[in-house]
Amino acid sequence: MNAYRPLNCDLHDYLEIACMHDYRLLIERLEGPSVEARALTTRTTASKEEFLVVQGDTGQQELRLDRLLAITPLNTGASFGRIVLADSYCAV
């Protein structure tokens, strides 16, 4: 896998809100099919790679943040709409 590119810090707020409110998300990936899953938490590894931990129909999985295109909450009354994550990375 390629070197990790940290997500823009401002966008982390949307991920945290999704986890806090237990949002079900449509998660668009840069490669591979989109995923519908419930946001559980975020996780950072010792090597500083960041993941969104989700629960889907096939179980729990971790999605590396720099491999995500966008997230869209599917819950009625969600506090935000579609958020594009791709190309929104912190300069390292």
Side-chain angles (χ1 to χ4, degrees):
M1 202 172 269
N2 298 334
Y4 181 74
R5 296 178 303 159
L7 187 67
N8 184 317
C9 298
D10 293 342
L11 296 176
H12 277 271
D13 290 343
Y14 293 105
L15 297 172
E16 294 300 326
I17 290 167
C19 294
M20 283 182 359
H21 293 287
D22 210 28
Y23 283 168
R24 184 150 182 87
L25 300 173
L26 171 63
I27 304 163
E28 299 169 65
R29 298 192 275 186
L30 293 172
E31 298 173 358
S34 296
V35 174
E36 283 189 26
R38 185 169 50 93
L40 299 177
T41 191
T42 57
R43 184 178 82 80
T44 304
T45 66
S47 60
K48 304 295 184 204
E49 293 177 335
E50 299 168 298
F51 293 85
L52 176 62
V53 182
V54 297
Q55 179 71 44
D57 294 338
T58 59
Q60 196 174 93
Q61 60 181 314
E62 295 184 352
L63 305 172
R64 203 168 98 163
L65 297 188
D66 67 341
R67 300 288 183 242
L68 304 182
L69 170 63
I71 59 170
T72 305
L74 301 175
N75 301 63
T76 303
S79 61
F80 62 89
R82 183 176 186 262
I83 302 296
V84 176
L85 304 172
D87 297 327
S88 298
Y89 300 100
C90 293
V92 182

